[in-house]
Amino acid sequence: MQQLVRAPARSTHRRVIAGTLAGFSALAAVSLAGCAAGRSPVAPAAAVPAPASSPAVSPPPRTPSPAASGYSGLGADSVPAAVIARFAPPALPSELTRRIQSMFDIRAPGGGILSPDGKRLYFAWSVTGVSQVWRLDGPQHFPIQMTGGEDPTTVAAVSPDGAFLVISRDRKGEENPGLYLQPATGGPLVLIQHTPKVQTVLEFISDDARTLVFRANDQKPDSYALYRWDVATRRRTPLFDRDGLWSVEDYRPDGKMLLAKHNGSAQEEFFELDADGKTLTPLFGQGEKENYGAAYAADPDELLVMTPKLGEYRRLYRWSRASRTFTAISAAVPFDLLETFIIDESRRHVFYGVNENGFSRLSALDARSYRPQALPALPAADHTVILSATRDGRYAVVGQNTGRSPNVSYVIDFVTGEATQWQLPGAPELDTTQFASAALESYPARDGTPIPMLVRRPPSCAAAAADPCPVIVTFHGGPEGQSVPGFNTRAQLFVDAGYVYVEPNVRGSEGYGKTWFHADDGPKRLDIITDIEDAARFVRAHWRKQGKEPKVAIFGGSYGGYSALIGMTMFAGAYDAGASVVGIGNLVTFLRNTAPYRRILRANEYGDLERDHDALVKLSPTTYVDRVKAPILLIQGASDPRVPVGEAIQIHDALAAKGVPVKLIIFPNEGHGAQRRENQVLQYGHVLQFFDAHLK
């Protein structure tokens, strides 16, 4: 991608999965957020005033919209083909698509995984229009394409002997990936497992490269079983099948595995599983609702644990098996650590990042003494993050991102002490040094809480023009995401079109401490949902020119799409137009119909279907369709396994029945956001065309 957006907080571990690597530089269209440089004071989360005791939002209509029970199921087969065809994306004017294509020609490869000898780098790159696996046979060598076709594909791991890759491939955005083997030099793929409606995810490859362990929800859709797969015989053997969303966070040479059971959004319990898969020993997190990430330490009697449990901010600790106590090993700073840390298999280096108001700062520790370890000098950047490390600990791959240059990756060699740039991004016919930098600003919520926001302004808007520039307020996904500074071609599209581009990090966002993070859990969202309306209020009141307030639109994807719909319904009149991509229209129908594993992860974030039903109705955009007057654009993928396509259809139909200007686009071959380049062009083109029609 050409933007960097904080993902929701999750378990943190030393293994870097393909999604993390690809996510550094392949557009996650769902996020629809990104940023650049700038700084202004932001109040720490610990200082957030207590929410008002009375409800912060006006009551819903007495009779909620009947659309609350209007569909069932998810995926393309839950909707008649004629309906999907009816809402197919229309073609766009060539002058508009040409402008978008030019911006999309800026491409940066994914971060990558080195071969064990440090001589090859394997990475994901969407230069063909969809993510595929590529390799470099040396720093800045000509890239060689390893996989092809129409399905998004990433590299999950390189075998310890360097002989083969494990490849992950999805179909139509269904998020039911399969696993394959491929020779390290390229060639046909060998199927490990790829089953319809089943997620198959690599956990690790054994040190002798003879077996690998993967997880799959093929026994129950809301549980992950663990399997061993023999590379020589190509046979799988069941290893562990208890109910729950389990993942292997680390493993030891003696066969023991460190398991996490994911009970909700950023809620984990940790266990140790013996080599035969029969004995499961509880370690920590049992009976709690806390976020943990962990890995085996160099000392066999210790674990490395990342958690916010012992303070306001996420820190890195050593955990003693004997005393079952935590001792901090990362510095005490008023910032969260990033979600992922890495310790290499040889237990030489520990890498972690600090999230300084959205900027990423990389640190390293000696894995045995826990003393700070110096890293080779790297160029200044908005983000410097660890991407992967070789098993022997000699090499590490580090990614960098700035506001005015595409992503680049460096390989650190701890023997020579050098950092070498391996990949070369491209920006044909464009001068990225002219991209707008994002200023870190804030606006006050109605209870006085400063809400951080990143703002990009076109140069023309600085002039004393007669009219203020139109403003697009964009909300990130998650809800536990975070918009951060960095290179963002998608934001620049709107800036070039003359819009001020604003990205708030409302309460509930990642990166500002656990008080901020949990401020929107369940029914508590009613107390802070007004952060969405307050952004528009601030812009209208403070960005006037000659007494005239700017036109203001709201935009977002996934939870950001939900935010856009809330802004247009619950807070009707706050925004002049709204565009929602794969957004939730009704929290009740969403939770009933989303994939079973997603329902478990989302319940603590949005609320329980039974216990919190009334709050879910109050927080659903469909409840407020009677208030809507301004136009709305809806964009959805038919195969979406997270937000069912029925969500977009039901709110479209409810709005259309009220005579509200509403437009729906459904991509038949996409899931939770557009991955294919041609669909991304259509998606952003229609959003730009929509805002131009209603804000200019």
Side-chain angles (χ1 to χ4, degrees):
M1 72 189 197
Q2 301 309 327
Q3 58 183 16
L4 191 62
V5 182
R6 292 278 182 259
R10 59 187 179 274
S11 167
T12 55
H13 46 77
R14 69 189 177 94
R15 297 178 300 107
V16 179
I17 62 173
T20 303
L21 296 170
F24 180 72
S25 59
L27 172 69
V30 172
S31 305
L32 299 171
C35 327
R39 183 188 297 270
S40 67
V42 177
V48 173
S53 57
S54 58
V57 299
S58 56
R62 291 185 178 182
T63 305
S65 166
S69 57
Y71 78 95
S72 63
L74 78 164
D77 57 0
S78 69
V79 179
V83 174
I84 296 176
R86 174 189 169 195
F87 296 110
L92 290 166
S94 59
E95 62 270 19
L96 175 58
T97 59
R98 189 178 298 113
R99 176 157 48 101
I100 298 172
Q101 292 279 14
S102 177
M103 188 67 74
F104 283 13
D105 278 338
I106 299 177
R107 300 186 182 100
I113 304 175
L114 276 173
S115 60
D117 59 9
K119 295 182 178 180
R120 286 177 172 164
L121 182 70
Y122 300 92
F123 55 93
W125 198 10
S126 58
V127 67
T128 62
V130 67
S131 174
Q132 296 296 341
V133 178
W134 297 69
R135 84 167 194 262
L136 292 176
D137 290 338
Q140 302 182 23
H141 281 212
F142 189 84
I144 299 171
Q145 187 172 353
M146 299 282 289
T147 65
E150 64 177 7
D151 296 323
T153 306
T154 56
V155 56
V158 181
S159 64
D161 58 4
F164 62 84
L165 312 179
V166 178
I167 300 296
S168 178
R169 170 168 284 172
D170 192 25
R171 296 174 181 140
K172 295 183 178 180
E174 295 172 347
E175 296 184 18
N176 292 314
L179 289 178
Y180 302 80
L181 291 189
Q182 185 181 39
T185 54
L189 304 186
V190 174
L191 176 66
I192 297 173
Q193 178 170 296
H194 199 171
T195 305
K197 299 183 178 181
V198 169
Q199 294 184 323
T200 303
V201 180
L202 179 70
E203 298 297 319
F204 66 90
I205 306 173
S206 63
D207 290 339
D208 60 10
R210 294 180 179 178
T211 62
L212 55 86
V213 171
F214 65 83
R215 73 176 188 264
N217 59 341
D218 52 355
Q219 297 188 25
K220 295 182 179 180
D222 60 354
S223 292
Y224 291 126
L226 301 178
Y227 298 92
R228 277 200 180 96
W229 193 81
D230 187 279
V231 174
T233 66
R234 301 182 184 178
R235 294 179 180 176
R236 77 171 195 177
T237 304
L239 176 62
F240 180 81
D241 62 358
R242 298 194 189 187
D243 287 352
L245 299 178
W246 297 90
S247 65
V248 181
E249 299 300 294
D250 205 352
Y251 65 95
R252 295 187 356 172
D254 61 7
K256 290 185 177 180
M257 285 170 270
L258 186 62
L259 266 57
K261 184 180 181 183
H262 305 269
N263 297 323
S265 172
Q267 293 182 4
E268 295 85 18
E269 300 177 26
F270 270 79
F271 301 80
E272 189 169 60
L273 183 68
D274 68 1
D276 62 11
K278 295 179 180 178
T279 303
L280 190 67
T281 304
L283 299 177
F284 48 82
Q286 285 70 35
E288 302 177 9
K289 294 182 178 180
E290 194 57 80
N291 176 222
Y292 290 102
Y296 286 118
D299 185 336
D301 294 324
E302 293 183 343
L303 297 178
L304 296 177
V305 180
M306 184 178 284
T307 180
K309 177 182 178 179
L310 304 180
E312 178 63 28
Y313 300 100
R314 187 186 297 120
R315 291 185 69 184
L316 189 59
Y317 299 85
R318 55 198 291 190
W319 181 82
S320 167
R321 290 178 182 269
S323 65
R324 305 182 77 82
T325 57
F326 295 88
T327 303
I329 58 174
S330 65
V333 294
F335 305 107
D336 273 327
L337 298 192
L338 298 181
E339 303 90 342
T340 302
F341 74 92
I342 293 177
I343 178 172
D344 55 68
E345 279 86 345
S346 65
R347 305 304 197 261
R348 294 175 60 186
H349 313 288
V350 179
F351 305 90
Y352 68 91
V354 178
N355 182 352
E356 296 184 3
N357 289 326
F359 295 85
S360 307
R361 311 304 184 209
L362 179 62
S363 294
L365 301 172
D366 181 278
R368 292 171 174 82
S369 68
Y370 300 121
R371 293 191 182 95
Q373 194 167 42
L375 295 172
L378 291 167
D382 291 349
H383 303 281
T384 302
V385 296
I386 183 66
L387 298 173
S388 63
T390 55
R391 301 174 76 90
D392 63 2
R394 176 173 177 174
Y395 301 102
V397 183
V398 172
Q400 286 204 317
N401 182 292
T402 73
R404 289 178 169 169
S405 61
N407 303 322
V408 295
S409 296
Y410 292 84
V411 172
I412 291 175
D413 185 336
F414 281 97
V415 173
T416 66
E418 296 177 347
T420 304
Q421 182 178 338
W422 271 60
Q423 297 166 324
L424 291 173
E429 299 185 20
L430 287 171
D431 180 4
T432 62
T433 64
Q434 300 304 307
F435 275 30
S437 293
L440 181 57
E441 303 178 12
S442 68
Y443 66 90
R446 60 195 61 188
D447 65 2
T449 302
I451 306 298
M453 63 177 176
L454 293 146
V455 183
R456 286 183 174 84
R457 293 179 172 87
S460 59
C461 294
D467 294 328
C469 285
V471 178
I472 297 175
V473 182
T474 304
F475 290 88
H476 62 67
E480 326 92 306
Q482 181 188 14
S483 293
V484 298
F487 192 69
N488 188 341
T489 55
R490 277 58 180 173
Q492 190 64 32
L493 279 172
F494 294 100
V495 173
D496 286 347
Y499 294 99
V500 179
Y501 196 76
V502 180
E503 298 167 284
N505 280 313
V506 296
R507 282 171 283 192
S509 300
E510 168 71 11
Y512 303 95
K514 65 184 181 184
T515 301
W516 193 275
F517 182 82
H518 291 295
D520 67 341
D521 289 356
K524 290 194 295 182
R525 183 169 273 105
L526 285 165
D527 295 320
I528 58 87
I529 197 74
T530 48
D531 290 357
I532 295 171
E533 183 183 28
D534 291 340
R537 286 184 173 184
F538 175 83
V539 168
R540 292 187 187 280
H542 294 275
W543 293 358
R544 296 170 177 261
K545 283 190 176 180
Q546 299 184 11
K548 186 174 183 179
E549 65 182 32
K551 293 273 191 177
V552 187
I554 188 169
F555 178 38
S558 192
Y559 182 79
Y562 162 82
S563 299
L565 292 175
I566 282 290
M568 296 298 294
T569 58
M570 179 185 286
F571 304 121
Y575 294 93
D576 298 299
S580 169
V581 179
V582 296
I584 302 165
N586 184 286
L587 289 171
V588 175
T589 54
F590 159 70
L591 288 170
R592 284 177 181 164
N593 291 287
T594 191
Y597 78 97
R598 294 291 303 172
R599 189 178 304 117
I600 293 172
L601 296 175
R602 295 292 85 191
N604 71 293
E605 178 64 48
Y606 293 113
D608 181 85
L609 267 171
E610 302 301 326
R611 182 179 63 251
D612 303 316
H613 183 271
D614 289 348
L616 293 171
V617 172
K618 290 178 182 178
L619 287 163
S620 292
T622 50
T623 301
Y624 306 93
V625 293
D626 288 341
R627 300 180 180 180
V628 182
K629 296 181 177 63
I632 295 177
L633 171 64
L634 306 167
I635 299 178
Q636 179 68 45
S639 300
D640 195 333
R642 302 188 181 206
V643 178
V645 62
E647 287 295 303
I649 293 172
Q650 73 172 353
I651 197 164
H652 168 271
D653 292 351
L655 291 168
K658 300 294 182 183
V660 176
V662 58
K663 180 178 181 179
L664 172 60
I665 292 172
I666 298 177
F667 290 108
N669 58 348
E670 297 283 9
H672 197 59
Q675 296 188 61
R676 292 168 173 80
R677 172 167 168 152
E678 65 270 21
N679 290 339
Q680 290 183 31
V681 171
L682 286 169
Q683 175 174 290
Y684 280 90
H686 279 287
V687 172
L688 277 166
Q689 187 182 62
F690 175 78
F691 286 147
D692 283 350
H694 297 290
L695 272 72
K696 294 183 176 180

